[in-house]
Amino acid sequence: MTRPADDLLAFTRQALNRVRHETPLVQCLTNQVVANFTANALLALGAAPAMVDIPEEAGPFAGAASGVLVNLGTPHAEQRAAMTEAVAGAAAAGTPWVLDPVAVGSLPVRTALARELVAQGPAVIRGNASEIIAVAGTGGGGRGVDATDEVESAAAAAGELARATGAVVAVSGPVDLLTDGERAVRVANGDPLLTRVTGGGCALGAVLAAFAPPTTPQGAAQTDRLAAATAAVAVYTVAAEIAAERSAGPGSFAAAFLDALYGLDEDTLGKRAAISWA
């Protein structure tokens, strides 16, 4: 059943409060270029980061974590093995995990790995339009990590991918699009400066993992996955807007963004979040 947009906004405020009070432990198997920014974003939000990404540790830790991020930005051989192990550990424990298929489609190693992982039941798949189209098998990817497709051109592929995998698919862009294959939501917040900071998109994957609900022994999410993912994107992009208002450029924006995540309150989020059903 589709909830009114006002209900989604109320859920978003509650979800921020839950993260702040529960301090979810988020395991990040992520791009070495963005690890520091990702960890700091989680800390600013009120979550706890853990960069556990080596074999023999990744699987057991995924079972203890609140959420797991698998980001394919720099997938060296040892990390690829750890990712496969972490996904298996997460599945066994009911830990939700997020797949961020960075530069998939244009590069062969990560593209093959993404196809393997996407079949293992991610809770959320987050990427730019070109990455989502490539994961869905209807396009060849973008220019490295940069999208060459518009968000709306990925809408059909995102819906098909969500239905095929059971994941919420989040397409990042000027207006973010999220879908569970039956319903779709747009979040019209954010600022272009977020694309001028290394890790601006990758850290969102970790925030999605912090907000993702756990699964029951039968594999169903305990709360609405689409609403939880929408909340994560809204929190992240509203913080980006606030940071941009206080910044002179990318350098000051990066610091202001962490401050904005740290200081964001439910009232400000409720007033600024632009959430609508697509």
Side-chain angles (χ1 to χ4, degrees):
M1 179 180 295
T2 299
R3 353 167 141 234
D6 286 348
D7 284 357
L8 271 180
L9 185 55
F11 181 94
T12 294
R13 295 174 54 161
Q14 294 164 7
L16 174 61
N17 185 58
R18 179 188 66 80
V19 168
R20 293 262 171 80
H21 281 81
E22 296 182 3
T23 315
L25 177 62
V26 181
Q27 179 183 8
C28 300
L29 298 92
T30 194
N31 184 341
Q32 64 187 17
V33 180
V34 307
N36 181 265
F37 187 80
T38 299
N40 284 335
L42 286 171
L43 287 169
L45 181 64
M51 282 30 198
V52 181
D53 66 348
I54 61 174
E56 298 182 40
E57 292 184 354
F61 199 91
S66 306
V68 177
L69 167 65
V70 176
N71 175 297
L72 304 186
T74 53
H76 54 77
E78 186 178 52
Q79 193 185 57
R80 295 198 302 273
M83 288 173 174
T84 301
E85 184 182 297
V87 165
T95 305
W97 63 280
V98 176
L99 176 64
D100 191 336
V102 178
V104 161
S106 59
L107 296 168
V109 172
R110 71 193 64 215
T111 300
L113 179 60
R115 287 174 181 153
E116 176 187 336
L117 293 175
V118 81
Q120 304 305 312
V124 181
I125 302 170
R126 186 222 76 87
N128 64 39
S130 296
E131 290 163 347
I132 294 302
I133 290 170
V135 173
T138 57
R143 188 185 65 173
V145 299
D146 297 324
T148 55
D149 298 280
E150 300 295 329
V151 170
E152 289 306 313
S153 67
E160 292 169 9
L161 183 60
R163 287 187 290 273
T165 62
V168 170
V169 177
V171 188
S172 295
V175 176
D176 294 278
L177 175 69
L178 300 94
T179 180
D180 61 3
E182 301 299 328
R183 304 167 297 165
V185 179
R186 289 188 175 89
V187 181
N189 296 103
D191 190 272
L193 277 174
L194 197 55
T195 67
R196 295 290 183 259
V197 174
T198 298
C202 295
L204 175 56
V207 172
L208 282 159
F211 277 76
T215 59
T216 66
Q218 291 74 36
Q222 293 180 10
T223 59
D224 188 333
R225 275 185 183 158
L226 180 60
T230 299
V233 171
V235 166
Y236 198 83
T237 54
V238 166
E241 283 185 351
I242 294 169
E245 294 166 1
R246 303 170 180 171
S247 305
S252 55
F253 174 82
F257 178 65
L258 295 178
D259 289 345
L261 278 175
Y262 179 78
L264 185 62
D265 58 66
E266 291 181 50
D267 288 343
T268 302
L269 180 61
K271 290 174 183 175
R272 297 189 66 139
I275 300 170
S276 61
W277 290 102

